[in-house]
Amino acid sequence: MTSVLDLAPVIPVVVLDDAADAVPLARALVAGGLPAIEVTLRTPAALDAIRAIAADVPDAVVGAGTVLTAGAVGESVTAGARFLVSPGWTDALVNSMREPGVPFLPGVSTTSEVVALLERGVTEMKFFPAQAAGGTAYLKSLAGPLPRARFCPTGGITAASAPSYLSLPNVGCVGGTWMVPADALAAKDWARVETLAREASTLRNTP
């Protein structure tokens, strides 16, 4: 895998309280056409969930989100994460994320942050929080002066707003939670998750 941005139009952003849900959830997302799955490190179950998906769902490309420290980088990759995502970045964090050799998406929300990452040789980034930070208008304004930067916008994106992001030339994919709603997780309604994932997988990036 050279770029996580090219795997699917949408990366599901998953928060799991019970690692036992990880495998059936991942299978439903993959069956729906969304192989890249970001499991956020926001709960104690996250690393076990990543480990389970990596071991038992071979068609999934599982990643770790909300990566904030060098320790989290190491733990995530050891658990089986194949890509890393952070909501923001520092030099130390970027250096740590670069070290394992897996794709990573450091988070940005300003032009200066994008320029600083480009100086460091990083061209693929998470734009977060997308809606609050300026949405499609902001990203569109970056495409001209900073054409090398590609983004996965995440934060406040819905099934309705995703196509407007995916129509931008500097957006490879979007991140979202709408295909993994809390009530479906609570009910273990994997069929509903698969249906929502299939709908999301039909979105296409059209310049």
Side-chain angles (χ1 to χ4, degrees):
M1 180 176 60
T2 57
S3 173
V4 69
L5 299 186
D6 298 326
L7 293 175
V10 181
I11 297 178
V13 180
V14 176
V15 181
L16 286 172
D17 293 308
D18 186 350
D21 292 336
V23 168
L25 174 65
R27 286 175 175 158
L29 292 170
V30 170
L34 300 181
I37 303 167
E38 177 187 336
V39 178
T40 64
L41 302 183
R42 300 181 191 178
T43 68
L47 288 173
D48 285 338
I50 291 170
R51 194 172 291 111
I53 294 170
D56 295 334
V57 192
D59 292 332
V61 179
V62 63
T66 322
V67 175
L68 302 175
T69 65
V73 170
E75 290 174 340
S76 299
V77 173
T78 298
R82 295 173 60 188
F83 65 93
L84 304 167
V85 185
S86 67
W89 67 276
T90 64
D91 278 326
L93 183 58
V94 167
N95 290 339
S96 297
M97 295 173 82
R98 196 192 301 268
E99 192 171 304
V102 300
F104 61 96
L105 300 174
V108 298
S109 60
T110 69
T111 305
S112 294
E113 290 172 316
V114 176
V115 171
L117 283 174
L118 289 173
E119 283 184 349
R120 289 156 175 79
V122 179
T123 59
E124 298 188 344
M125 311 165 197
K126 170 178 176 172
F127 181 61
F128 176 83
Q131 287 291 97
T136 55
Y138 194 98
L139 284 170
K140 186 175 182 179
S141 71
L142 295 181
L146 302 171
R148 289 194 300 130
R150 296 181 72 214
F151 301 96
C152 173
T154 305
I157 297 176
T158 65
S161 64
S164 63
Y165 282 93
L166 292 167
S167 70
L168 300 176
N170 55 351
V171 171
C173 64
V174 301
T177 61
W178 73 86
M179 72 298 301
V180 284
D183 58 344
L185 288 180
K188 304 186 189 303
D189 189 348
W190 312 126
R192 182 182 171 202
V193 170
E194 182 178 339
T195 296
L196 292 170
R198 185 170 291 109
E199 293 170 356
S201 73
T202 65
L203 299 172
R204 289 292 180 264
N205 188 351
T206 53

